[in-house]
Amino acid sequence: MSVLARSVGNAFRNKIRTSAVVAVLAVAIGLALSMLVANQAVGSKVQELNASVGTVLTVNPAGGQGFEGGGEPLTTAESATAAAVPNVVSVVGTKALRLENESATSTSSTGTTSQQGGPGGGPGGGTSVTTSLKAAIDAGTLGNRNNTNSNSGAAGGSGTGNSGAAPTFSLPITATGIGAEVDTSGKALNITSGTGLGDYTAASTKALLGTTLADKNGLKVGSTFTIAGKTFTVAGIFDAGTTFGNNAVYTTLAEAQALASTPGELSSMVVTVNSMDNVDAAKTALQSALGSDKADVTQGQRNLETAVSSLDSVKNISLVAFIAALGTAGLIILLIMVMLVRERRREIGVLKAIGARNRTIGLQFVLEALVLVALGSVVGAAIAAFASGSIASALISSNSTTSASNQRGPGGGGFGGGFGGGGAFGGASQLLTSVTASASPSTIAIGVAAVFAVAVVGALVPALLTARIRPIEVLRGE
């Protein structure tokens, strides 16, 4: 009988014991695989956070942010200065505009004053630019309240003509000219249909629309609309993940500057640093290069370092748990094989007496252990497939709750929040709490390979120790 056949037969010699051993191994292997899956899921999320938001600095005009505040605008020449700062890998200039619906702004003189006399200027350029698009967000209580507050002075000084009810307020649409295919938080645009704009530094009549804005206006890829009387074609539709973010239009930087009649002017710059370790140094160097009286350099995701550190702790915990579970499985195999070897001392003596080599005897017990481990791995993989997501969520939930409480702080106000850090921060919080663990075949294969390696050691040690005994000693002891 071959060694393999004898090993498989021995593995099922006592079916009750085999079932119990497989069940215990399945639990240990399943836990080990679940921890490995959780470890890789958290590791991937940490890399995603670092790559997408953890190394991004935002540069605004000193004293201004979005459509609020004052100060002098940034320029494309200053973007070149920023790009020359050590550890800076990219600088993306943005030009912010606010688009007002044409029909809403021309309903009456009162309506025009109400909508263009508010916070429509700032870094985006003088007055609001008109468009054929209708905003995808209803003004609601907040929109009408903010509009009334911002125009209370104008309304009070306009005579009896404004004594009646305030006109219905139509929210403006956020329009941004960008120098690369990234949003204002530094993340790559998630284009769900169509294509990008090609050369983002050249003037172009192509545009990208948010999903809800496109749906509101019945537009799709290839459709047209107007901004300031100029016809634009929808090149692609993107999903920003938020209602405010999807009520937006992206054009090339040069085109937005032309629409605002401010060539060479920037509303903000998105600066990407090569690693989180160099963010502080790059921020200091950037502020020094641009001048504190000219620009404000902020790290909108500063407190993500705490969150990433928390996730790193979860990653380390899951790794330690994987090693512990793997060690437990190895210990179980070792104890079982010690028991089996002691039970078969006479069998080993007979095999030695008829000329069996030590490696043949060791191979027999290793193969028997691998049969048991293979059965346990099948059940353990099924356990990991169902349990890994819950285990990862349980490990992360407490850390994400703590991080969320630490991350609450002042964000960007008004419509400019997305340009100063508030909007980007919300996206980071969503990333932080959206860790998804799935037992991929490659992860399971790595875990099972580790279990088999431990099984080989656990089975080989007792078998070889016993195989070294001389046959006469084994048979005499029996």
mmCIF file of all heavy atoms in Angstrom, residues 292-334:
data_model
loop_
_atom_site.group_PDB
_atom_site.id
_atom_site.type_symbol
_atom_site.label_atom_id
_atom_site.label_comp_id
_atom_site.label_asym_id
_atom_site.label_seq_id
_atom_site.Cartn_x
_atom_site.Cartn_y
_atom_site.Cartn_z
ATOM 1 N N SER A 292 2.687 84.458 4.011
ATOM 2 C CA SER A 292 1.499 84.384 4.860
ATOM 3 C C SER A 292 0.496 85.488 4.560
ATOM 4 O O SER A 292 -0.695 85.364 4.864
ATOM 5 C CB SER A 292 1.907 84.452 6.334
ATOM 6 O OG SER A 292 2.636 85.645 6.589
ATOM 7 N N ASP A 293 0.938 86.583 3.950
ATOM 8 C CA ASP A 293 0.022 87.671 3.607
ATOM 9 C C ASP A 293 -0.647 87.446 2.254
ATOM 10 O O ASP A 293 -1.538 88.196 1.855
ATOM 11 C CB ASP A 293 0.785 88.998 3.580
ATOM 12 C CG ASP A 293 1.918 88.994 2.554
ATOM 13 O OD1 ASP A 293 2.400 87.887 2.223
ATOM 14 O OD2 ASP A 293 2.316 90.091 2.106
ATOM 15 N N LYS A 294 -0.242 86.379 1.563
ATOM 16 C CA LYS A 294 -0.784 86.112 0.234
ATOM 17 C C LYS A 294 -1.659 84.859 0.194
ATOM 18 O O LYS A 294 -2.630 84.790 -0.565
ATOM 19 C CB LYS A 294 0.382 85.948 -0.756
ATOM 20 C CG LYS A 294 -0.043 85.748 -2.205
ATOM 21 C CD LYS A 294 -0.770 86.954 -2.745
ATOM 22 C CE LYS A 294 -1.131 86.772 -4.221
ATOM 23 N NZ LYS A 294 -1.885 87.912 -4.760
ATOM 24 N N ALA A 295 -1.308 83.861 1.008
ATOM 25 C CA ALA A 295 -2.029 82.589 0.930
ATOM 26 C C ALA A 295 -2.166 81.959 2.311
ATOM 27 O O ALA A 295 -1.327 82.156 3.189
ATOM 28 C CB ALA A 295 -1.308 81.627 -0.010
ATOM 29 N N ASP A 296 -3.246 81.221 2.479
ATOM 30 C CA ASP A 296 -3.469 80.401 3.670
ATOM 31 C C ASP A 296 -3.349 78.938 3.260
ATOM 32 O O ASP A 296 -4.080 78.470 2.377
ATOM 33 C CB ASP A 296 -4.863 80.637 4.266
ATOM 34 C CG ASP A 296 -4.997 82.011 4.907
ATOM 35 O OD1 ASP A 296 -3.965 82.528 5.378
ATOM 36 O OD2 ASP A 296 -6.117 82.549 4.933
ATOM 37 N N VAL A 297 -2.429 78.227 3.876
ATOM 38 C CA VAL A 297 -2.215 76.817 3.563
ATOM 39 C C VAL A 297 -2.825 75.985 4.689
ATOM 40 O O VAL A 297 -2.457 76.143 5.857
ATOM 41 C CB VAL A 297 -0.718 76.490 3.420
ATOM 42 C CG1 VAL A 297 -0.526 75.023 3.046
ATOM 43 C CG2 VAL A 297 -0.082 77.390 2.375
ATOM 44 N N THR A 298 -3.743 75.122 4.355
ATOM 45 C CA THR A 298 -4.413 74.298 5.363
ATOM 46 C C THR A 298 -4.376 72.841 4.951
ATOM 47 O O THR A 298 -4.308 72.515 3.759
ATOM 48 C CB THR A 298 -5.888 74.716 5.550
ATOM 49 O OG1 THR A 298 -6.572 74.591 4.294
ATOM 50 C CG2 THR A 298 -5.988 76.148 6.035
ATOM 51 N N GLN A 299 -4.387 71.997 5.952
ATOM 52 C CA GLN A 299 -4.504 70.565 5.706
ATOM 53 C C GLN A 299 -5.896 70.169 6.137
ATOM 54 O O GLN A 299 -6.170 69.957 7.313
ATOM 55 C CB GLN A 299 -3.450 69.770 6.495
ATOM 56 C CG GLN A 299 -3.460 68.288 6.169
ATOM 57 C CD GLN A 299 -2.422 67.522 6.962
ATOM 58 O OE1 GLN A 299 -1.652 68.100 7.713
ATOM 59 N NE2 GLN A 299 -2.408 66.213 6.806
ATOM 60 N N GLY A 300 -6.804 70.117 5.163
ATOM 61 C CA GLY A 300 -8.201 69.844 5.481
ATOM 62 C C GLY A 300 -8.395 68.533 6.191
ATOM 63 O O GLY A 300 -9.352 68.342 6.916
ATOM 64 N N GLN A 301 -7.468 67.575 6.018
ATOM 65 C CA GLN A 301 -7.604 66.259 6.622
ATOM 66 C C GLN A 301 -6.584 66.063 7.734
ATOM 67 O O GLN A 301 -6.111 64.961 7.957
ATOM 68 C CB GLN A 301 -7.430 65.176 5.549
ATOM 69 C CG GLN A 301 -8.349 65.351 4.352
ATOM 70 C CD GLN A 301 -9.790 65.308 4.746
ATOM 71 O OE1 GLN A 301 -10.142 64.654 5.704
ATOM 72 N NE2 GLN A 301 -10.637 66.004 4.014
ATOM 73 N N ARG A 302 -6.221 67.143 8.428
ATOM 74 C CA ARG A 302 -5.194 67.049 9.450
ATOM 75 C C ARG A 302 -5.505 65.970 10.478
ATOM 76 O O ARG A 302 -4.651 65.174 10.870
ATOM 77 C CB ARG A 302 -5.058 68.404 10.151
ATOM 78 C CG ARG A 302 -4.114 68.409 11.348
ATOM 79 C CD ARG A 302 -2.692 68.126 10.911
ATOM 80 N NE ARG A 302 -1.808 67.985 12.045
ATOM 81 C CZ ARG A 302 -0.533 67.689 11.959
ATOM 82 N NH1 ARG A 302 0.008 67.486 10.779
ATOM 83 N NH2 ARG A 302 0.216 67.568 13.025
ATOM 84 N N ASN A 303 -6.751 65.940 10.949
ATOM 85 C CA ASN A 303 -7.077 64.970 11.984
ATOM 86 C C ASN A 303 -7.302 63.571 11.438
ATOM 87 O O ASN A 303 -7.660 62.672 12.186
ATOM 88 C CB ASN A 303 -8.307 65.413 12.780
ATOM 89 C CG ASN A 303 -9.307 66.138 11.919
ATOM 90 O OD1 ASN A 303 -9.339 65.935 10.712
ATOM 91 N ND2 ASN A 303 -10.101 66.988 12.513
ATOM 92 N N LEU A 304 -7.054 63.377 10.154
ATOM 93 C CA LEU A 304 -7.065 62.010 9.635
ATOM 94 C C LEU A 304 -5.863 61.219 10.131
ATOM 95 O O LEU A 304 -5.879 60.004 10.128
ATOM 96 C CB LEU A 304 -7.047 62.017 8.102
ATOM 97 C CG LEU A 304 -8.405 61.894 7.423
ATOM 98 C CD1 LEU A 304 -8.222 61.864 5.936
ATOM 99 C CD2 LEU A 304 -9.148 60.677 7.899
ATOM 100 N N GLU A 305 -4.816 61.932 10.570
ATOM 101 C CA GLU A 305 -3.659 61.224 11.092
ATOM 102 C C GLU A 305 -4.057 60.383 12.299
ATOM 103 O O GLU A 305 -3.593 59.262 12.477
ATOM 104 C CB GLU A 305 -2.568 62.227 11.471
ATOM 105 C CG GLU A 305 -1.933 62.913 10.270
ATOM 106 C CD GLU A 305 -0.814 63.842 10.672
ATOM 107 O OE1 GLU A 305 -0.513 63.911 11.888
ATOM 108 O OE2 GLU A 305 -0.246 64.508 9.797
ATOM 109 N N THR A 306 -4.955 60.948 13.145
ATOM 110 C CA THR A 306 -5.453 60.195 14.292
ATOM 111 C C THR A 306 -6.266 58.997 13.824
ATOM 112 O O THR A 306 -6.153 57.888 14.360
ATOM 113 C CB THR A 306 -6.321 61.096 15.187
ATOM 114 O OG1 THR A 306 -5.544 62.211 15.605
ATOM 115 C CG2 THR A 306 -6.817 60.339 16.404
ATOM 116 N N ALA A 307 -7.093 59.231 12.799
ATOM 117 C CA ALA A 307 -7.926 58.140 12.289
ATOM 118 C C ALA A 307 -7.071 57.039 11.667
ATOM 119 O O ALA A 307 -7.309 55.851 11.886
ATOM 120 C CB ALA A 307 -8.919 58.685 11.266
ATOM 121 N N VAL A 308 -6.074 57.444 10.876
ATOM 122 C CA VAL A 308 -5.198 56.461 10.251
ATOM 123 C C VAL A 308 -4.413 55.694 11.308
ATOM 124 O O VAL A 308 -4.218 54.482 11.206
ATOM 125 C CB VAL A 308 -4.241 57.150 9.253
ATOM 126 C CG1 VAL A 308 -3.166 56.184 8.772
ATOM 127 C CG2 VAL A 308 -5.023 57.690 8.064
ATOM 128 N N SER A 309 -3.973 56.422 12.357
ATOM 129 C CA SER A 309 -3.265 55.756 13.453
ATOM 130 C C SER A 309 -4.166 54.739 14.130
ATOM 131 O O SER A 309 -3.737 53.640 14.502
ATOM 132 C CB SER A 309 -2.790 56.795 14.464
ATOM 133 O OG SER A 309 -2.183 56.171 15.582
ATOM 134 N N SER A 310 -5.451 55.099 14.281
ATOM 135 C CA SER A 310 -6.412 54.176 14.884
ATOM 136 C C SER A 310 -6.595 52.935 14.021
ATOM 137 O O SER A 310 -6.628 51.810 14.524
ATOM 138 C CB SER A 310 -7.755 54.893 15.081
ATOM 139 O OG SER A 310 -8.713 54.025 15.642
ATOM 140 N N LEU A 311 -6.688 53.147 12.708
ATOM 141 C CA LEU A 311 -6.838 52.008 11.807
ATOM 142 C C LEU A 311 -5.574 51.157 11.781
ATOM 143 O O LEU A 311 -5.643 49.934 11.635
ATOM 144 C CB LEU A 311 -7.163 52.492 10.394
ATOM 145 C CG LEU A 311 -8.577 53.035 10.174
ATOM 146 C CD1 LEU A 311 -8.750 53.477 8.736
ATOM 147 C CD2 LEU A 311 -9.627 52.001 10.530
ATOM 148 N N ASP A 312 -4.426 51.794 11.913
ATOM 149 C CA ASP A 312 -3.173 51.031 11.998
ATOM 150 C C ASP A 312 -3.175 50.133 13.228
ATOM 151 O O ASP A 312 -2.663 49.009 13.187
ATOM 152 C CB ASP A 312 -1.972 51.979 12.060
ATOM 153 C CG ASP A 312 -1.560 52.472 10.678
ATOM 154 O OD1 ASP A 312 -1.799 51.739 9.703
ATOM 155 O OD2 ASP A 312 -1.007 53.580 10.582
ATOM 156 N N SER A 313 -3.768 50.631 14.321
ATOM 157 C CA SER A 313 -3.873 49.807 15.536
ATOM 158 C C SER A 313 -4.755 48.594 15.274
ATOM 159 O O SER A 313 -4.434 47.479 15.691
ATOM 160 C CB SER A 313 -4.450 50.646 16.681
ATOM 161 O OG SER A 313 -3.604 51.726 17.001
ATOM 162 N N VAL A 314 -5.866 48.820 14.571
ATOM 163 C CA VAL A 314 -6.754 47.706 14.222
ATOM 164 C C VAL A 314 -6.018 46.712 13.332
ATOM 165 O O VAL A 314 -6.151 45.491 13.492
ATOM 166 C CB VAL A 314 -8.017 48.228 13.511
ATOM 167 C CG1 VAL A 314 -8.882 47.072 13.023
ATOM 168 C CG2 VAL A 314 -8.816 49.113 14.445
ATOM 169 N N LYS A 315 -5.232 47.236 12.399
ATOM 170 C CA LYS A 315 -4.466 46.366 11.502
ATOM 171 C C LYS A 315 -3.488 45.505 12.296
ATOM 172 O O LYS A 315 -3.363 44.299 12.050
ATOM 173 C CB LYS A 315 -3.729 47.225 10.477
ATOM 174 C CG LYS A 315 -2.927 46.436 9.460
ATOM 175 C CD LYS A 315 -2.218 47.371 8.496
ATOM 176 C CE LYS A 315 -1.347 46.578 7.519
ATOM 177 N NZ LYS A 315 -0.604 47.486 6.603
ATOM 178 N N ASN A 316 -2.811 46.123 13.255
ATOM 179 C CA ASN A 316 -1.856 45.377 14.083
ATOM 180 C C ASN A 316 -2.550 44.335 14.944
ATOM 181 O O ASN A 316 -2.065 43.216 15.113
ATOM 182 C CB ASN A 316 -1.062 46.342 14.959
ATOM 183 C CG ASN A 316 -0.142 47.245 14.150
ATOM 184 O OD1 ASN A 316 0.272 46.883 13.051
ATOM 185 N ND2 ASN A 316 0.152 48.419 14.675
ATOM 186 N N ILE A 317 -3.713 44.718 15.496
ATOM 187 C CA ILE A 317 -4.473 43.778 16.329
ATOM 188 C C ILE A 317 -4.899 42.570 15.506
ATOM 189 O O ILE A 317 -4.789 41.422 15.951
ATOM 190 C CB ILE A 317 -5.698 44.481 16.946
ATOM 191 C CG1 ILE A 317 -5.249 45.504 17.995
ATOM 192 C CG2 ILE A 317 -6.641 43.463 17.577
ATOM 193 C CD1 ILE A 317 -6.371 46.376 18.511
ATOM 194 N N SER A 318 -5.401 42.825 14.303
ATOM 195 C CA SER A 318 -5.856 41.710 13.458
ATOM 196 C C SER A 318 -4.685 40.829 13.053
ATOM 197 O O SER A 318 -4.837 39.601 12.935
ATOM 198 C CB SER A 318 -6.585 42.243 12.223
ATOM 199 O OG SER A 318 -5.731 43.064 11.441
ATOM 200 N N LEU A 319 -3.501 41.427 12.849
ATOM 201 C CA LEU A 319 -2.331 40.629 12.493
ATOM 202 C C LEU A 319 -1.915 39.740 13.662
ATOM 203 O O LEU A 319 -1.609 38.550 13.469
ATOM 204 C CB LEU A 319 -1.175 41.546 12.085
ATOM 205 C CG LEU A 319 0.136 40.845 11.710
ATOM 206 C CD1 LEU A 319 -0.081 39.908 10.520
ATOM 207 C CD2 LEU A 319 1.223 41.871 11.401
ATOM 208 N N VAL A 320 -1.894 40.318 14.865
ATOM 209 C CA VAL A 320 -1.551 39.529 16.053
ATOM 210 C C VAL A 320 -2.574 38.416 16.257
ATOM 211 O O VAL A 320 -2.216 37.272 16.580
ATOM 212 C CB VAL A 320 -1.492 40.435 17.304
ATOM 213 C CG1 VAL A 320 -1.356 39.603 18.568
ATOM 214 C CG2 VAL A 320 -0.320 41.410 17.194
ATOM 215 N N ALA A 321 -3.850 38.729 16.044
ATOM 216 C CA ALA A 321 -4.898 37.715 16.199
ATOM 217 C C ALA A 321 -4.741 36.610 15.165
ATOM 218 O O ALA A 321 -4.964 35.422 15.466
ATOM 219 C CB ALA A 321 -6.269 38.367 16.075
ATOM 220 N N PHE A 322 -4.356 36.963 13.938
ATOM 221 C CA PHE A 322 -4.121 35.958 12.900
ATOM 222 C C PHE A 322 -2.989 35.020 13.311
ATOM 223 O O PHE A 322 -3.103 33.791 13.194
ATOM 224 C CB PHE A 322 -3.793 36.645 11.570
ATOM 225 C CG PHE A 322 -3.221 35.727 10.533
ATOM 226 C CD1 PHE A 322 -4.011 34.755 9.929
ATOM 227 C CD2 PHE A 322 -1.884 35.821 10.161
ATOM 228 C CE1 PHE A 322 -3.481 33.891 8.969
ATOM 229 C CE2 PHE A 322 -1.349 34.972 9.213
ATOM 230 C CZ PHE A 322 -2.146 34.009 8.612
ATOM 231 N N ILE A 323 -1.890 35.614 13.782
ATOM 232 C CA ILE A 323 -0.749 34.796 14.206
ATOM 233 C C ILE A 323 -1.129 33.905 15.376
ATOM 234 O O ILE A 323 -0.750 32.723 15.428
ATOM 235 C CB ILE A 323 0.442 35.705 14.566
ATOM 236 C CG1 ILE A 323 0.929 36.454 13.316
ATOM 237 C CG2 ILE A 323 1.582 34.896 15.174
ATOM 238 C CD1 ILE A 323 1.995 37.489 13.606
ATOM 239 N N ALA A 324 -1.906 34.455 16.325
ATOM 240 C CA ALA A 324 -2.329 33.668 17.488
ATOM 241 C C ALA A 324 -3.228 32.514 17.065
ATOM 242 O O ALA A 324 -3.074 31.377 17.547
ATOM 243 C CB ALA A 324 -3.046 34.569 18.492
ATOM 244 N N ALA A 325 -4.183 32.795 16.161
ATOM 245 C CA ALA A 325 -5.073 31.736 15.689
ATOM 246 C C ALA A 325 -4.297 30.684 14.904
ATOM 247 O O ALA A 325 -4.565 29.477 15.013
ATOM 248 C CB ALA A 325 -6.184 32.332 14.827
ATOM 249 N N LEU A 326 -3.327 31.152 14.119
ATOM 250 C CA LEU A 326 -2.498 30.225 13.348
ATOM 251 C C LEU A 326 -1.668 29.357 14.289
ATOM 252 O O LEU A 326 -1.540 28.137 14.084
ATOM 253 C CB LEU A 326 -1.585 31.019 12.416
ATOM 254 C CG LEU A 326 -0.851 30.240 11.314
ATOM 255 C CD1 LEU A 326 -1.864 29.615 10.352
ATOM 256 C CD2 LEU A 326 0.093 31.173 10.558
ATOM 257 N N GLY A 327 -1.113 29.988 15.333
ATOM 258 C CA GLY A 327 -0.356 29.226 16.320
ATOM 259 C C GLY A 327 -1.218 28.221 17.062
ATOM 260 O O GLY A 327 -0.776 27.109 17.375
ATOM 261 N N THR A 328 -2.480 28.619 17.329
ATOM 262 C CA THR A 328 -3.406 27.695 17.994
ATOM 263 C C THR A 328 -3.676 26.478 17.127
ATOM 264 O O THR A 328 -3.695 25.337 17.613
ATOM 265 C CB THR A 328 -4.731 28.420 18.300
ATOM 266 O OG1 THR A 328 -4.466 29.537 19.155
ATOM 267 C CG2 THR A 328 -5.716 27.486 18.983
ATOM 268 N N ALA A 329 -3.893 26.734 15.826
ATOM 269 C CA ALA A 329 -4.109 25.612 14.903
ATOM 270 C C ALA A 329 -2.882 24.705 14.867
ATOM 271 O O ALA A 329 -3.005 23.468 14.872
ATOM 272 C CB ALA A 329 -4.419 26.141 13.497
ATOM 273 N N GLY A 330 -1.695 25.304 14.855
ATOM 274 C CA GLY A 330 -0.473 24.497 14.861
ATOM 275 C C GLY A 330 -0.327 23.696 16.140
ATOM 276 O O GLY A 330 0.106 22.526 16.103
ATOM 277 N N LEU A 331 -0.687 24.303 17.274
ATOM 278 C CA LEU A 331 -0.602 23.589 18.548
ATOM 279 C C LEU A 331 -1.583 22.418 18.590
ATOM 280 O O LEU A 331 -1.252 21.328 19.093
ATOM 281 C CB LEU A 331 -0.887 24.559 19.695
ATOM 282 C CG LEU A 331 -0.801 23.983 21.112
ATOM 283 C CD1 LEU A 331 0.598 23.438 21.379
ATOM 284 C CD2 LEU A 331 -1.188 25.033 22.153
ATOM 285 N N ILE A 332 -2.781 22.652 18.052
ATOM 286 C CA ILE A 332 -3.778 21.572 17.999
ATOM 287 C C ILE A 332 -3.236 20.410 17.174
ATOM 288 O O ILE A 332 -3.329 19.239 17.566
ATOM 289 C CB ILE A 332 -5.103 22.096 17.400
ATOM 290 C CG1 ILE A 332 -5.755 23.092 18.364
ATOM 291 C CG2 ILE A 332 -6.051 20.936 17.111
ATOM 292 C CD1 ILE A 332 -6.949 23.809 17.766
ATOM 293 N N ILE A 333 -2.666 20.720 16.031
ATOM 294 C CA ILE A 333 -2.114 19.671 15.163
ATOM 295 C C ILE A 333 -0.974 18.939 15.870
ATOM 296 O O ILE A 333 -0.872 17.699 15.822
ATOM 297 C CB ILE A 333 -1.628 20.288 13.845
ATOM 298 C CG1 ILE A 333 -2.814 20.866 13.064
ATOM 299 C CG2 ILE A 333 -0.891 19.251 13.001
ATOM 300 C CD1 ILE A 333 -2.400 21.733 11.893
ATOM 301 N N LEU A 334 -0.112 19.698 16.539
ATOM 302 C CA LEU A 334 1.016 19.095 17.247
ATOM 303 C C LEU A 334 0.540 18.120 18.319
ATOM 304 O O LEU A 334 1.028 16.979 18.401
ATOM 305 C CB LEU A 334 1.874 20.194 17.880
ATOM 306 C CG LEU A 334 3.059 19.730 18.737
ATOM 307 C CD1 LEU A 334 4.052 18.946 17.882
ATOM 308 C CD2 LEU A 334 3.728 20.921 19.406
#
